Amino acid sequence: MTTSTGGDLAIVGARLRTLTGENETATALLIRDGRIAALGGDAEIRAAAETAGIEVRDLAGATVTPGLFDSHTHPHWAADVTAGVDLGGLGTIAEIREALAAEHARLPEGAWLRGWNLEYEPFEETGMRGDVLADAAPGRPVALVCYDLHTGLGTAPALAAAGIDGAREFDDASEIVVDADGTPTGELREPTAYQILFDAAPAPSHEVERDGLRDMFRRLAAAGLTGGAIMDGKDRTVELLAELEERGELDHRVTVHHWHAVGDTDEDVARVIAAKDRAGRLWDTGAIKLFSDGVIDTGTAWLHTVDACGDGRVPFWPSWERYAEVVRAYHDAGMLIATHAVGDYAVSRVLDVYATLPERPGVPFHSIEHLEVLADEDVEQLKGSGITASMQPLHMQWRAADHSDNWTVRLGPGRDATGYRVRSVLDAGVGVVLGSDWPVAQYDPRLGMAWARGRHTPGDPSAHVFEPEQRLTGEEALLAYTLWPARARGHEDRGTLAVGSVADLTVWGADPVEATPDELVETPIVLTVLEGRVIHEG
């Protein structure tokens, strides 16, 4: 990783994807004080740079695009969650036990064993139970979280350390799952429940937490990302961002969506609103994240009709009227609201609430996050709503061509075709932005774009294509990571290569629009540039 100082740079010898419809023949650009000062031919820009004593990078045929922005991500959370053992791709309980046993042997006595990326399919016969894993790490607290961050799993020592000894009532739809006799099984549904478990584990030091977030941002830069919307913001997140920027170690442009919990009071809302204008050079905080439902896999998504297990008709909020009150308060305060809505009915009900909000001239409208399944009537309701649809087609990676995956089975026969309808949403005139939901799915935007365009496993042209009619074009996928998220947040100086635009750039080894989805995931990231600073060099 190479980090330059200052914000002046010249790039020549490149193809520029300006996304403005202008300067399409330009091959070079000049950056002064973190902003694009000129676009033109190589000789012109080189001469201007040399006169001003500015470094010139000859990129010999690379393609420059505006910097990529992940519209739904959790880097602060990920820095903590991914500190454990990665259980992704382990398809049986025996494989999971083997991985936990190896980690158990490595850890010192008394340490907690943490794991992430756990999948649901291995537990189809037993149910999500901690006791089926207990012998992998005898006596040691084991705390795991599923890949979607909606379910935790703990063994008996971990549950005991956290004081989890029975069912509890929560303000939201979270649940400590118990047996018939009231004994916890180890399954903890939704964050309010499983956070009790993880809060009991030893916390990292301030320095470890801060440096972990710094290093996480640098990992994102290596994949071409220059910024993102943090969807689980808290006061601690803001404090760390401010400290990193003060230390000159913040290499990411961030919007922090404060996570509003269902149980938050009017006083909590007022406190968040009072701090809404807190910002730095590279970060701001005037945004909110709420949940309307959970996920398909656990039966907590809010659906028009019940799923195959008879679930799916319960919202995350005991009082939907309270959700509407909270949304109105944040709306009136001028904040940008993002609401998680996976189920089709959840999308419809959120749209109902958003439709009651008064206009705010000059202020961008709100988003719905995921829109994972949509009935035709929901697509119709989206028309003219003014919302931004923040979607993640790469979450289709857990689907199976034979319909045997947990998501499809749980949703019910024939309903998988209503999933990830990004083309339908776009054709309905709705603004679309793409993201990863990292660490739910991989943060690499090349994967995100490839799934949106190909709707099959990237790198395998023979792989099954899910709903091919829902594919995006190469240009649309790029726009959904650049210009469209900038516009959705009201930024006129981001998401394009134009004079006056912020010089956040992603430099590719080949044109990401012309590359096939299968080629895209292997396309090198040559440079990642933030405000004219090279924050990654491949």
Side-chain angles (χ1 to χ4, degrees):
M1 203 283 297
T2 303
T3 303
S4 70
T5 58
D8 297 343
L9 182 68
I11 291 173
V12 301
R15 175 172 186 176
L16 306 187
R17 284 279 182 183
T18 66
L19 305 187
T20 64
E22 302 176 353
N23 294 305
E24 296 297 333
T25 62
T27 57
L29 58 82
L30 179 67
I31 300 167
R32 300 294 303 266
D33 193 27
R35 289 185 178 269
I36 298 175
L39 296 93
D42 290 357
E44 169 193 359
I45 297 299
R46 186 185 293 274
E50 291 175 351
T51 298
I54 294 173
E55 176 189 6
V56 177
R57 295 285 188 112
D58 190 334
L59 298 183
T63 297
V64 182
T65 70
L68 303 179
F69 187 92
D70 188 325
S71 291
H72 191 120
T73 185
H74 306 277
H76 186 192
W77 198 357
D80 174 49
V81 169
T82 60
V85 58
D86 184 355
L87 302 171
L90 302 184
T92 68
I93 289 177
E95 291 174 339
I96 296 169
R97 280 199 291 248
E98 182 179 356
L100 297 180
E103 185 74 354
H104 171 66
R106 186 188 68 81
L107 290 171
E109 184 177 353
W112 281 53
L113 197 166
R114 300 277 298 272
W116 65 289
N117 220 4
L118 186 67
E119 299 181 12
Y120 292 102
E121 280 78 4
F123 300 90
E124 288 178 349
E125 293 185 7
T126 65
M128 298 288 292
R129 301 188 61 89
D131 54 14
V132 302
L133 306 174
D135 60 353
R140 186 186 297 278
V142 177
L144 313 177
V145 66
C146 288
Y147 72 90
D148 60 3
L149 301 184
H150 281 265
T151 301
L153 184 63
T155 59
L159 298 177
I164 299 173
D165 56 9
R168 298 187 193 182
E169 292 291 328
F170 294 101
D171 293 318
D172 56 27
S174 297
E175 180 184 2
I176 295 173
V177 179
V178 297
D179 284 331
D181 63 358
T183 303
T185 65
E187 180 181 2
L188 307 166
R189 294 179 181 167
E190 302 300 335
T192 306
Y194 72 65
Q195 202 57 48
I196 299 170
L197 179 70
F198 285 96
D199 284 346
S205 68
H206 169 77
E207 292 75 16
V208 167
E209 184 182 17
R210 180 198 65 212
D211 294 350
L213 183 57
R214 176 201 65 196
D215 294 344
M216 179 61 65
F217 287 142
R218 291 176 178 175
R219 288 172 60 187
L220 302 182
L225 287 163
T226 60
I230 294 181
M231 287 291 170
D232 60 318
K234 42 191 174 288
D235 293 342
R236 181 65 177 155
T237 310
V238 175
E239 293 165 4
L240 291 174
L241 291 172
E243 183 177 354
L244 286 173
E245 188 163 67
E246 184 178 357
R247 291 167 60 91
E249 296 179 343
L250 181 58
D251 295 332
H252 214 59
R253 189 180 299 280
V254 178
T255 293
V256 179
H257 285 251
H258 183 91
W259 190 337
H260 178 102
V262 170
D264 285 353
T265 64
D266 289 342
E267 290 72 23
D268 295 319
V269 172
R271 178 181 59 82
V272 172
I273 290 174
K276 70 182 178 66
D277 295 323
R278 189 176 180 189
R281 181 178 176 90
L282 291 172
W283 57 273
D284 59 74
T285 61
I288 294 295
K289 164 70 178 304
L290 306 99
F291 281 81
S292 67
D293 68 347
V295 292
I296 301 295
D297 292 274
T298 62
T300 54
W302 201 9
L303 303 168
H304 284 296
T305 56
V306 295
D307 64 21
C309 297
D311 296 321
R313 292 296 298 154
V314 179
F316 208 66
W317 294 68
S319 167
W320 194 242
E321 291 72 21
R322 174 60 178 168
Y323 167 81
E325 290 175 1
V326 169
V327 166
R328 180 61 185 267
Y330 288 129
H331 175 87
D332 288 348
M335 301 185 77
L336 189 65
I337 299 167
T339 302
H340 166 119
V342 163
D344 43 19
Y345 192 59
V347 173
S348 178
R349 294 305 306 274
V350 172
L351 286 170
D352 288 342
V353 172
Y354 282 2
T356 68
L357 301 174
E359 291 188 16
R360 302 184 299 180
V363 180
F365 198 55
H366 311 302
S367 72
I368 297 180
E369 306 295 312
H370 308 307
L371 304 95
E372 200 162 290
V373 291
L374 292 170
D376 288 342
E377 58 264 35
D378 306 316
V379 175
E380 189 66 26
Q381 188 180 3
L382 284 166
K383 293 180 179 178
S385 65
I387 71 145
T388 295
S390 176
M391 303 181 73
Q392 299 81 38
L394 81 163
H395 290 192
M396 289 187 290
Q397 65 186 275
W398 292 290
R399 294 174 66 182
D402 64 359
H403 311 288
S404 64
D405 58 281
N406 185 70
W407 182 88
T408 300
V409 171
R410 185 71 186 243
L411 192 55
R415 295 172 71 179
D416 55 332
T418 68
Y420 306 95
R421 297 179 64 179
V422 62
R423 165 58 59 195
S424 295
V425 172
L426 191 60
D427 288 349
V430 178
V432 170
V433 297
L434 296 176
S436 66
D437 206 8
W438 165 249
V440 172
Q442 305 93 325
Y443 54 76
D444 194 325
R446 292 168 293 187
L447 281 171
M449 285 189 245
W451 270 102
R453 292 174 55 187
R455 296 181 72 94
H456 70 266
T457 302
D460 182 4
S462 65
H464 178 78
V465 177
F466 297 99
E467 299 85 42
E469 71 280 1
Q470 294 294 331
R471 290 178 289 198
L472 297 186
T473 68
E475 184 175 19
E476 289 166 343
L478 178 61
L479 286 165
Y481 267 99
T482 52
L483 179 59
W484 292 347
R487 294 293 182 263
R489 296 178 179 280
H491 301 302
E492 297 298 325
D493 62 348
R494 304 180 193 174
T496 61
L497 304 182
V499 173
S501 289
V502 172
D504 296 351
L505 315 174
T506 303
V507 182
W508 307 71
D511 189 333
V513 173
E514 294 183 352
T516 69
D518 297 307
E519 293 168 342
L520 185 63
V521 292
E522 300 297 332
T523 301
I525 300 298
V526 178
L527 295 178
T528 306
V529 179
L530 182 68
E531 284 199 325
R533 294 186 297 117
V534 177
I535 57 173
H536 169 77
E537 184 169 2

